[in-house]
Amino acid sequence: MEYGLQIGNLEFPRIREVAQAAEQLGYGAVFVPDHVVPEGPERQFDPHHLSYEAMVQVAVLAEATRKMRVGHLVLCNLFRHPVITAQGLTALDHSSNGRLIAGLGSGWTEREFKMTGIAFPDITTRLRMLDEALTSIRSLWTNEETTLDGEFYKLTDAILWPKPIQKPHPPILLGGGGKGLLRVAAKHADIVNIISDAGKPGYISLANIAKLTDDNFRSKVAFLREEAKRVGRDPQSIQISNVIFQTIITDSPPATQSMAEAMAPMFNTTPEGMIHSPLALIGTPEQCIAELKRRTKVWELSQVVFSYSGDGNLRRLAEEVLPNV
């Protein structure tokens, strides 16, 4: 099992400090998002949220660390041409000495596109674009020349040199939760980070958050495996990743129950459903250990990514929970 950290809204000195602290504590990967204006549920946003360019942030992470894998959770395909994406990710794979995880997605935050005038087609079109972009990127990484007469991208004898350090290419991580994204992932992904579906509505709705239950997560894994088999891939070759947005380590089982009862209405679930929600980890260290063991087995997890919420949680997880899972 690999444990990772997702960080954001930090100045560069803190990005370095948090990544280095996480590496010293034994975390195996660190990620940043790719947004102009990040949004929370129901289009909540802070106009002064720090949103430094995602490629630059990972370059800083690569320089600040020595062993951790680095990457994006995830790059928005619509923000860059796939040749530029492939070139930038190759540079990061080299600057990190082969530690890059190449995270990509279709893009979902409608506000960013309305603000900037960047085209924001419907989700079906965006997924076709992502599929074609991934085909282009993988070819650029592995072939001497790439020619593609695609629906969205036209490449003629395209050359990309050098090739990535990792062979045949850096692991590709796709993030999302809708069936369309999972079909694309079944073709291209080495790792799939399953989250609630935000692609079609263009924002994170509480209704869709509530749908991402224990059973729903398992059904998405099963669907992904079936799709991989259908397209001729070994279903077990795709790793499953769970990002936990809220980690609350309590001091007693009654405190866990109280917290779960308080949070459950927002997720339209029961306290027990809240404790098993893919979006949260709530409990004493012993309860968190048991829940992570359960998820590892039932959801077939290979990676868990925690949203950074302060040095205290970072250390408690590393010292009291993760070594015992």
Side-chain angles (χ1 to χ4, degrees):
M1 175 69 74
E2 178 176 69
Y3 297 107
L5 191 68
Q6 183 179 35
I7 59 178
N9 199 27
L10 298 176
E11 293 286 3
F12 282 108
R14 282 295 291 152
I15 288 174
R16 293 185 179 93
E17 290 171 0
V18 171
Q20 289 169 349
E23 184 171 66
Q24 291 172 4
L25 289 167
Y27 290 86
V30 60
F31 299 93
V32 297
D34 182 25
H35 287 288
V36 178
V37 177
E39 279 190 352
E42 301 299 334
R43 296 190 169 95
Q44 299 175 34
F45 79 105
D46 174 2
H48 297 142
H49 188 284
L50 303 175
S51 296
Y52 290 115
E53 205 280 330
M55 292 284 192
V56 174
Q57 289 190 73
V58 172
V60 170
L61 290 171
E63 180 272 333
T65 57
R66 294 294 175 265
K67 297 181 295 183
M68 295 176 76
R69 297 205 287 176
V70 298
H72 302 96
L73 201 60
V74 287
L75 287 176
C76 174
N77 180 56
L78 298 182
F79 287 169
R80 302 164 188 85
H81 190 282
V83 173
I84 304 306
T85 300
Q87 183 186 44
L89 291 175
T90 298
L92 293 175
D93 197 47
H94 278 262
S95 66
S96 67
N97 196 27
R99 292 183 286 129
L100 177 73
I101 298 175
L104 291 104
S106 64
W108 61 268
T109 315
E110 185 178 25
R111 180 190 303 273
E112 296 176 307
F113 297 90
K114 285 185 174 180
M115 284 173 39
T116 60
I118 298 172
F120 187 64
D122 62 83
I123 184 59
T124 302
T125 303
R126 299 200 314 269
L127 288 169
R128 293 204 312 273
M129 294 176 74
L130 179 62
D131 185 5
E132 200 170 288
L134 287 163
T135 298
S136 303
I137 291 166
R138 290 170 64 193
S139 179
L140 288 162
W141 279 343
T142 57
N143 295 315
E144 186 68 23
E145 294 183 353
T146 294
T147 295
L148 177 72
D149 185 17
E151 179 182 2
F152 306 101
Y153 306 112
K154 311 287 185 182
L155 280 66
T156 304
D157 300 330
I159 299 168
L160 183 66
W161 192 262
K163 302 303 181 187
I165 289 177
Q166 297 181 80
K167 303 301 180 187
H169 52 70
I172 293 171
L173 181 154
L174 293 189
K179 286 187 174 181
L181 184 282
L182 295 176
R183 289 189 182 99
V184 175
K187 292 174 59 178
H188 296 285
D190 301 295
I191 309 167
V192 180
N193 185 266
I194 295 176
I195 59 173
S196 57
D197 183 15
K200 187 174 183 179
Y203 70 102
I204 302 171
S205 72
L206 288 175
N208 279 346
I209 286 177
K211 291 177 184 177
L212 190 64
T213 62
D214 179 13
D215 288 342
N216 183 251
F217 195 100
R218 280 187 278 176
S219 71
K220 290 179 186 295
V221 173
F223 179 83
L224 172 69
R225 302 278 195 226
E226 284 299 315
E227 283 296 305
K229 183 177 180 180
R230 187 181 65 82
V231 298
R233 293 187 67 192
D234 175 5
Q236 298 303 316
S237 69
I238 303 175
Q239 299 178 36
I240 306 300
S241 174
N242 170 214
V243 60
I244 296 174
F245 292 96
Q246 182 91 50
T247 301
I248 301 173
I249 302 177
T250 65
D251 294 321
S252 68
T256 301
Q257 183 67 19
S258 177
M259 183 61 65
E261 289 174 354
M263 294 179 65
M266 184 174 68
F267 290 80
N268 193 29
T269 187
T270 63
E272 182 181 2
M274 192 68 243
I275 288 171
H276 296 319
S277 168
L279 302 173
L281 182 67
I282 307 167
T284 65
E286 294 75 19
Q287 289 174 315
C288 289
I289 291 165
E291 175 61 13
L292 287 172
K293 285 182 176 179
R294 188 194 71 82
R295 295 183 189 193
T296 300
K297 179 179 180 180
V298 175
W299 299 351
E300 305 174 32
L301 295 182
S302 298
Q303 182 187 76
V304 175
V305 181
F306 299 94
S307 290
Y308 175 70
S309 58
D311 293 346
N313 258 1
L314 186 73
R315 183 169 293 278
R316 288 198 73 184
L317 279 168
E319 294 180 349
E320 301 177 41
V321 177
L322 304 184
N324 301 304
V325 177

